[in-house]
Amino acid sequence: MNLHAIRAIYAFEMNRAFRTLLQSVVSPVISTVLYFVVFGAAIGSRIEEVNGVSYGAFIVPGLIMLSLLTQSVTNAAFGIYFPRFTGTIYEVLSAPVSFVEIVIGYVGAAATKSLGLGLIILATAALFVPLRIEHPVAMLAFLVLTAITFSLFGFIIGIWADGFEKLQLVPLLIITPLTFLGGSFYSIDMLPPFWQTVTLFNPVVYLISGFRWSFYGVSDVDVGVSVAMTGVFLAICIGIIWWIFRTGYRLRT
Amino acid sequence: MPDAVIQVSNLTKTYSGGFEALKGVDLHIRKGEIFALLGPNGAGKTTLISIICGLVNPSSGQVLAGGHDVVRDYRAARSKIGLVPQELTTDAFETVWATVSFSRGLFGKPKNPDHIERILKALSLWSKRDTRIKELSGGMKRRVLIAKALSHEPEILFLDEPTAGVDVELRRDMWDVVRRLRETGVTVILTTHYIEEAEEMADRVGVIRGGEIILVEEKAELMRKLGQKRLTLHLNEPLDAVPVSLAAYDLELSSDGMVLTYSYDTQGERTGITRLIGDLREAGIRFRDLETKQSTLEEIFVSLVRSPS
């Protein structure tokens, strides 16, 4: 294991985050605060409790997930796309590093960033609504697992993308709608029966449901199913990345 | 070859579009030499370097670097190699110090600020160490790329067109850097457009054309072998025409009639110089000076790549 290389990539990526602290932390925090103001304080006070949780508190796990997913994908995609775009990727490809080490470096840094952001948003939320976390360890585990899984997904996007448009397309057209429709703002049993079935094909449903369970002990789907589905998605991402490095897809001609 | 630090055997590369970039290349690079790889654009220089450095997968054949297969044993092979790419591909927002330190870590070496300091000083980058790369000139960026390639103390250094777009002064500086590297035992392989560069620096020269190595030779030997020499005679009195008695020598007379030029092959059994001078005396032609001139490597190179294979 080339630990020096992992550390070099990781530190390099983290430095990039600190250099752009304003845009990488402040803007997601502000948008989350706006959600709390609108849905928590303004509209939320007129919405009934959901599963015995006040609406303002109910949306906290979903909002954290929304930021976590978007930031994980964006961070990791940008992290690997940018060196491809500028050409500096040559150095990583000519270095004595295995793809496992490259992925740990880039994905680890992206996951760390979005994890940090998730925790900041959680702290911000605590200022606006009364929070309780019934299963803190599970909550952290869900955060970490989701951050890693979606950073892997972002890494794939960053390799697949051949322009900045595609890089933004996936978070915009896939992640955001899936998260909004994945029960961030409602419990899926509020939906008509037909849409309840359809929504089960949305992988984000399982993430949000499991994550919300770690807060309030209630969930749309069984927490075991949530963990399993996250694991499946993680395995798919790892499989695709393994294939990318084996074939050199978009990396080596 | 026992002292070969790089052994390329029967290497081929066909790109997915069907373009055959390398057609069975065999090449041995000796430890500690400066090897210049010359060839026209599209000849396969960069493809060859890219395969050795791990940027391009070979179609078939084998490359050993420091005795390690560059595909199967890539860790050992690559940690011995430093690459300075042709394009000025650098980070923009990082400082010189950060990017060079990053390279060292990437190649699996523990931090060593003293070593980085030595490199930056040797490349006149020390005063720029805290400058962001985007604020540097093109020549300075080139130096940063060299510093990155040297950060992990490689035994083999590839310089792909190192002085393209670099001013004359900086080019001289880089040649000095490369020579100093050789003194420390580093093997240097450079591709270049500037024949002058190969002529100035290289111990051996390889010429690649159409994906094949058509020649590998000691530079001095190459110039001797392929070199045409010219004997120039500065006459005491002008001639109207070359005398008939000297027609066999194929002499050229300058327009003012004061200079006679005789071309001969240094490889020839007889150069004919003694006889020519005898015949000149016979014809009553006296000269006040004479000089001989070797073809430059450029002239040799142009004649090589132009001739049909």
Side-chain angles (χ1 to χ4, degrees), chain A residues 144-202:
Chain A
V144 172
L145 193 62
T146 310
I148 291 173
T149 305
F150 279 77
S151 295
L152 285 170
F153 183 60
F155 189 86
I156 295 170
I157 302 301
I159 296 220
W160 163 78
D162 49 14
F164 279 99
E165 309 79 46
K166 280 192 184 172
L167 210 57
Q168 284 158 351
L169 215 60
V170 171
L172 194 70
L173 291 187
I174 300 178
I175 302 296
T176 310
L178 285 185
T179 316
F180 269 81
L181 302 176
S184 291
F185 298 101
Y186 51 81
S187 169
I188 61 171
D189 55 19
M190 294 175 175
L191 296 170
F194 171 73
W195 290 105
Q196 283 191 26
T197 313
V198 170
T199 212
L200 289 177
F201 289 96
N202 177 357

Side-chain angles (χ1 to χ4, degrees), chain B:
Chain B
M1 195 179 289
D3 61 344
V5 69
I6 290 189
Q7 285 178 280
V8 179
S9 317
N10 200 21
L11 191 68
T12 69
K13 174 65 187 177
T14 308
Y15 284 103
S16 51
F19 175 66
E20 221 181 334
L22 296 178
K23 302 167 184 166
V25 168
D26 288 291
L27 183 63
H28 295 253
I29 310 285
R30 294 175 196 155
K31 192 166 169 51
E33 72 175 339
I34 298 181
F35 186 91
L37 189 60
L38 296 176
N41 285 327
K45 299 189 293 285
T46 299
T47 300
L48 178 58
I49 286 188
S50 298
I51 290 177
I52 298 173
C53 295
L55 299 176
V56 171
N57 294 326
S59 298
S60 70
Q62 192 189 40
V63 180
L64 299 180
H68 305 283
D69 187 298
V70 297
V71 176
R72 260 183 302 125
D73 200 4
Y74 68 92
R75 271 188 210 271
R78 288 185 200 168
S79 59
K80 293 182 187 299
I81 298 176
L83 166 66
V84 182
Q86 192 171 341
E87 306 286 333
L88 279 178
T89 47
T90 55
D91 300 307
F93 304 105
E94 278 69 23
T95 62
V96 171
W97 180 271
T99 195
V100 176
S101 304
F102 167 76
S103 300
R104 184 176 170 86
L106 193 62
F107 278 75
K109 288 280 167 73
K111 284 188 178 163
N112 184 347
D114 294 342
H115 178 68
I116 307 280
E117 183 178 335
R118 273 195 301 276
I119 292 176
L120 294 186
K121 282 183 172 162
L123 290 162
S124 314
L125 281 169
W126 182 243
S127 61
K128 304 277 184 193
R129 63 189 179 279
D130 295 323
T131 308
R132 288 180 174 204
I133 297 163
K134 65 170 180 174
E135 290 156 22
L136 296 178
S137 66
M140 281 296 181
K141 283 181 184 159
R142 181 75 66 187
R143 287 169 190 237
V144 171
L145 287 176
I146 296 177
K148 281 165 79 72
L150 293 175
S151 65
H152 63 283
E153 303 157 60
E155 293 169 24
I156 305 159
L157 183 68
F158 282 94
L159 296 160
D160 198 359
E161 304 274 351
T163 53
V166 161
D167 63 45
V168 177
E169 194 186 348
L170 189 54
R171 201 183 306 166
R172 298 264 162 205
D173 280 3
M174 283 197 195
W175 292 351
D176 287 342
V177 170
V178 171
R179 282 198 199 94
R180 261 180 280 146
L181 278 174
R182 202 229 334 236
E183 282 163 23
T184 65
V186 175
T187 309
V188 180
I189 297 113
L190 58 95
T191 70
T192 180
H193 268 96
Y194 298 104
I195 315 289
E196 187 195 3
E197 198 156 73
E199 198 166 345
E200 174 90 21
M201 314 259 307
D203 299 311
R204 286 197 307 152
V205 175
V207 178
I208 184 168
R209 184 186 61 192
E212 287 168 301
I213 300 270
I214 54 175
L215 177 125
V216 175
E217 196 70 80
E218 300 285 339
K219 181 186 67 188
E221 180 72 7
L222 174 66
M223 294 180 64
R224 195 177 66 77
K225 246 192 192 168
L226 292 166
Q228 285 273 315
K229 266 196 148 180
R230 293 153 74 85
L231 170 67
T232 309
L233 298 160
H234 298 271
L235 307 179
N236 275 350
E237 283 154 17
L239 285 176
D240 293 334
V242 179
V244 186
S245 59
L246 300 173
Y249 292 101
D250 200 17
L251 297 173
E252 277 173 58
L253 183 65
S254 65
S255 52
D256 62 359
M258 291 297 284
V259 180
L260 269 178
T261 309
Y262 170 59
S263 298
Y264 60 97
D265 191 344
T266 52
Q267 280 302 95
E269 191 85 344
R270 291 203 172 108
T271 58
I273 294 175
T274 322
R275 232 179 44 200
L276 171 66
I277 290 177
D279 288 350
L280 282 171
R281 197 216 304 265
E282 206 109 305
I285 300 171
R286 296 161 65 85
F287 51 91
R288 57 182 170 81
D289 196 8
L290 82 170
E291 64 190 34
T292 64
K293 194 169 162 282
Q294 181 98 41
S295 321
T296 63
L297 191 54
E298 175 148 16
E299 288 155 0
I300 298 171
F301 173 70
V302 169
S303 74
L304 258 178
V305 296
R306 289 229 177 109
S307 65
S309 45

